[in-house]
Amino acid sequence: MISLLPTLVKLLMGFLCVVFYVNHGDSSYPSPSTHDPIRRMALMKASLQTLRTVAASTPQGSSSSSSRVHHATEYGADPTGISDSTEALQQAISDAFISRIEGTHLMEGIADLGGTQLHLDGGTYKISRPLRLPDTTGAGNFMLHGGSLLASHDFPTDRHMIELWSKSNSFMYEDITLKDLMINSNFRGGGIAVINSLRTTIDNCYISRFTSNGILIQGGHETFVTNSFIGQHINVGGDHREKNFSGIGININGNDNSVSDVVIFSAAVGIMVQGQANIFTGVHCYNKATGWGGIGIHIRSPGLTQTRILNSYFDFTGIVAEDPVQLHISGSFFLGNAFVMIKSLKGVMSGLTIVDNMFSGDYTGVQIVQFDQSNGHYFTTIDQVVVDRNVVRGMILKTTVAKGSKWSNGTKWTVDFSKVLLFPDLIQNVQYTLQAAGSSFPNHILRNVSHNCVTVESDVPVSATLHVLVDQSMLGYV
């Protein structure tokens, strides 16, 4: 219809020009009727009415050959959420995947759909089975957006409302965008499953009432979740059902994914991570409190973690990392005695940095970093672990770098770091200065560093102050 309007306008303008020429051209015999203003207005009105009639009579779908936007309501989907819309929406998705650009592709074997969209037109649609992308041939550059999905009472409990899941083990989907969606799983399974897909974006989605996963990311590469809200039960904290929260907000079993500016307000585990090189930025977890057994982010990638957690907010629920190797946590806020738990599987801890964070508690003696060695495997492989520059209020500070001073009049000075150092007996480096009073210049030596106590001894009694800097973060020599 839109493509027809310019042609009709041109015809109308040509017609008006002819009328103008007849009325005002050179003529020896002007007709009074052609100079009548009322007649000219009537003629123009009739022409405009003809234009409207032609435009209105154009079939709504006649421009579908040039448009790549498919509307859910045009397929008979019920935007009120009363009738089941599964078949209609599935057909719309199938038609969208036909709109391929010949001769182009994304990854090899993945056709370019040219920005094809399925627009939900702001409606709420009830579905009784997962909406799945076609998997006969790979395709990408597609967006599903602009509405709400509601699981029916017979939706399968072991599935997700939207599934990027092919029968093939090869990559079938690339550059798929799920945007501006509200997904209500109705306590009948999960929200979104992205399996073995490339460069998927989940943006501005509100996912609630799931029992398994709000979002499942499995395999594939580079799924981005951003600007979204995820919660099993809709609340703003202090929910009386909190101790019974279950499920996982975002379950990541893959590499190179990103979660940014996401709130997880209700689940047993906010984010479960089983994979490497993932990054989490601006995440707010107030799902299930640690006191009830909840975890904000659980990193289950022992031996090779390679994960970064930045500028996030752990609200009464903290971080658990198993045998972390290359894990970075910084710029984050831990509220309500939330802490970082390092759990031993084989006693490995390497390349761990917990720096520049804020911790706030209730003065009940909770440490900001703790160890779980309950399986009997104590941490024996410890290398490049830095816990430093954290700001602590109402909790017990633990660090791998510390300074201390001690004045004494005698031959021995001891500075005790046992209350502040993270590891019980692992001072690797000591720098000290013995500042003697007056003109004294005694001989002195570092005598002992066991049990996180640094002892310096002089050969003669002297009034002096010992200044010490200790470091547990490094092993080996340079």
Side-chain angles (χ1 to χ4, degrees), residues 434-444 460-464:
L434 186 64
Q435 184 179 2
S439 59
S440 301
F441 194 78
N443 295 317
H444 50 85
V460 296
V462 64
S463 176

Side-chain angles (χ1 to χ4, degrees), residues 276-327:
Q276 291 77 45
N278 296 290
I279 183 168
F280 307 97
T281 308
V283 175
H284 181 189
C285 294
Y286 64 99
N287 42 300
K288 188 176 186 177
T290 300
W292 293 115
I295 301 174
I297 296 181
H298 191 172
I299 303 170
R300 304 186 67 182
S301 301
L304 191 59
T305 308
Q306 297 178 331
T307 292
R308 293 150 292 163
I309 302 174
L310 312 172
N311 302 327
S312 295
Y313 179 10
F314 296 91
D315 195 344
F316 282 78
T317 184
I319 298 172
V320 175
E322 300 177 359
D323 275 6
V325 174
Q326 291 191 315
L327 169 63

Side-chain angles (χ1 to χ4, degrees), residues 7-317:
T7 303
L8 295 175
V9 170
K10 289 180 180 179
L11 291 173
L12 176 60
M13 293 303 294
F15 176 77
L16 292 177
C17 288
V18 171
V19 172
F20 183 84
Y21 177 78
V22 170
N23 287 344
H24 298 282
D26 294 335
S27 176
S28 301
Y29 305 98
S31 169
S33 62
T34 59
H35 290 280
D36 186 355
I38 296 177
R39 182 174 177 79
R40 290 200 303 272
M41 289 295 292
L43 189 61
M44 181 180 294
K45 182 177 179 180
S47 300
L48 290 173
Q49 184 62 39
T50 300
L51 177 62
R52 294 192 186 98
T53 302
V54 172
S57 63
T58 304
Q60 189 174 7
S62 63
S63 62
S64 60
S65 59
S66 60
S67 174
R68 294 181 180 274
V69 180
H70 301 258
H71 294 272
T73 52
E74 293 179 353
Y75 286 81
D78 178 10
T80 68
I82 298 175
S83 301
D84 191 295
S85 297
T86 308
E87 295 296 338
L89 294 176
Q90 199 64 64
Q91 184 61 53
I93 293 173
S94 297
D95 286 357
F97 268 59
I98 297 174
S99 306
R100 299 163 182 250
I101 298 179
E102 296 298 328
T104 67
H105 60 81
L106 302 175
M107 286 287 290
E108 190 66 34
I110 299 180
D112 184 359
L113 299 180
T116 298
Q117 302 178 20
L118 172 54
H119 201 309
L120 297 183
D121 302 308
T124 297
Y125 303 90
K126 184 167 63 177
I127 59 175
S128 55
R129 69 175 189 274
L131 297 180
R132 294 189 61 175
L133 305 189
D135 63 355
T136 52
T137 56
N141 195 3
F142 166 75
M143 177 187 292
L144 170 62
H145 66 110
S148 302
L149 297 175
L150 170 66
S152 66
H153 291 294
D154 57 350
F155 190 93
T157 57
D158 59 346
R159 302 292 293 276
H160 293 74
M161 306 256 311
I162 300 175
E163 295 181 348
L164 281 64
W165 181 13
S166 70
K167 298 176 182 178
S168 171
N169 290 326
S170 60
F171 295 128
M172 295 293 292
Y173 311 113
E174 181 181 1
D175 189 24
I176 304 297
T177 300
L178 307 175
K179 181 178 174 65
D180 302 337
L181 299 172
M182 175 170 278
I183 298 176
N184 182 349
S185 298
N186 199 20
F187 301 109
R188 300 285 303 178
I192 298 173
V194 180
I195 300 175
N196 210 24
S197 302
L198 295 173
R199 291 176 272 276
T200 304
T201 300
I202 300 173
D203 182 12
N204 192 33
C205 291
Y206 190 119
I207 304 171
S208 66
R209 298 187 172 94
F210 53 87
T211 54
S212 54
N213 310 291
I215 298 173
L216 170 65
I217 301 170
Q218 184 172 312
H221 196 69
E222 294 173 338
T223 294
F224 278 33
V225 182
T226 185
N227 300 321
S228 296
F229 301 92
I230 301 171
Q232 183 182 45
H233 298 274
I234 298 177
N235 65 81
V236 290
D239 195 308
H240 67 279
R241 300 165 293 184
E242 183 173 346
K243 64 180 179 180
N244 297 317
F245 287 174
S246 62
I248 301 171
I250 303 176
N251 192 347
I252 299 176
N253 190 351
N255 304 336
D256 305 335
N257 303 290
S258 172
V259 178
S260 62
D261 300 322
V262 168
V263 175
I264 303 173
F265 55 86
S266 172
V269 177
I271 302 176
M272 178 74 75
V273 187
Q274 300 178 80
Q276 291 77 45
N278 296 290
I279 183 168
F280 307 97
T281 308
V283 175
H284 181 189
C285 294
Y286 64 99
N287 42 300
K288 188 176 186 177
T290 300
W292 293 115
I295 301 174
I297 296 181
H298 191 172
I299 303 170
R300 304 186 67 182
S301 301
L304 191 59
T305 308
Q306 297 178 331
T307 292
R308 293 150 292 163
I309 302 174
L310 312 172
N311 302 327
S312 295
Y313 179 10
F314 296 91
D315 195 344
F316 282 78
T317 184

